[in-house]
Amino acid sequence: VIVISASAYAQDAGKRNSIGIQLNPYMDSQLFDGSFFKPVFAGRYGYALNNHLSFGPEISGYFVIRDQVQSDLNISNLNVGGFLRYSLMPASRIRPFFELSPYYTFYHYRSKAIQTQEGTGLEYSDSWFSGYLSPGITLYSKNQKFSLDLMYKFSNKDFINGNKSVFTYRLNFNF
């Protein structure tokens, strides 16, 4: 997974606000064989109450785009919610954390070319409340302006990989 992210988790009194952006293609066999392109995205704002606890709103999700010229298949998954993070050892450059992210998911699937028993075309929409719990570690640069989150997310719903858990990482800019 390639991640382009600018995010911050405040760790001292001068670094209370954070803004994060994540954009990466989901790397699977369908990406490499050219059948599907699945961009994953996230954006968040965070506020640190203290050295251990931060929270804020987050929007995330993915799209599934078929890599064929004549394909009209469109799949989207949008999560709107927030996050709450508890960081351990705030003075260390390696900081374990636990993150909880409750969100509401909006899912949409559409294709005019699919043949069903009802005829041609299929459109489906759904929404549900879900979220994830994620243990992980954050690795900080010496000046603490940059950090890397390594985390494993667990959810009651499937992620883009088709499983209820996924490893992910995020590059952060701390201010």
Side-chain angles (χ1 to χ4, degrees), residues 47 74 140:
Y47 180 79
N74 292 301
Y140 281 85

Side-chain angles (χ1 to χ4, degrees), residues 18-171:
S18 65
I19 297 174
I21 298 171
Q22 178 180 344
L23 178 62
N24 61 277
Y26 176 66
M27 298 179 116
D28 63 358
S29 62
Q30 294 175 334
L31 174 68
F32 294 111
D33 70 15
S35 58
F36 289 95
F37 177 66
K38 303 171 191 172
V40 177
F41 62 90
R44 64 168 48 174
Y45 167 78
Y47 180 79
L49 292 174
N50 56 43
N51 289 343
H52 295 281
L53 194 59
S54 59
F55 70 98
E58 180 174 44
I59 296 174
S60 63
Y62 63 87
F63 296 96
V64 176
I65 301 164
R66 185 144 171 103
D67 286 348
Q68 292 181 354
V69 176
Q70 298 297 324
S71 177
D72 71 340
L73 176 67
N74 292 301
I75 300 173
S76 63
N77 189 85
L78 176 66
N79 305 313
V80 178
F83 74 95
L84 177 66
R85 176 180 282 204
Y86 186 82
S87 297
L88 303 169
M89 303 183 323
S92 174
R93 287 182 51 196
I94 299 174
R95 300 177 193 166
F97 69 83
F98 293 97
E99 186 169 293
L100 174 66
S101 177
Y103 51 77
Y104 200 77
T105 299
F106 300 92
Y107 176 84
H108 186 256
Y109 176 99
R110 185 189 69 203
S111 176
K112 294 178 184 173
I114 291 180
Q115 299 291 324
T116 66
Q117 291 180 340
E118 291 80 30
T120 302
L122 178 63
E123 187 162 359
Y124 174 76
S125 293
D126 200 359
S127 59
W128 57 83
F129 182 75
S130 185
Y132 67 80
L133 177 62
S134 178
I137 61 170
T138 302
L139 308 173
Y140 281 85
S141 65
K142 189 173 181 177
N143 64 8
Q144 297 192 16
K145 287 186 179 182
F146 299 97
S147 61
L148 177 67
D149 292 338
L150 304 170
M151 64 181 93
Y152 204 81
K153 295 180 179 182
F154 297 93
S155 180
N156 63 330
K157 295 287 189 173
D158 289 347
F159 290 105
I160 192 170
N161 65 354
N163 298 318
K164 293 184 182 348
S165 64
V166 66
F167 174 79
T168 189
Y169 59 90
R170 181 181 297 120
L171 179 62

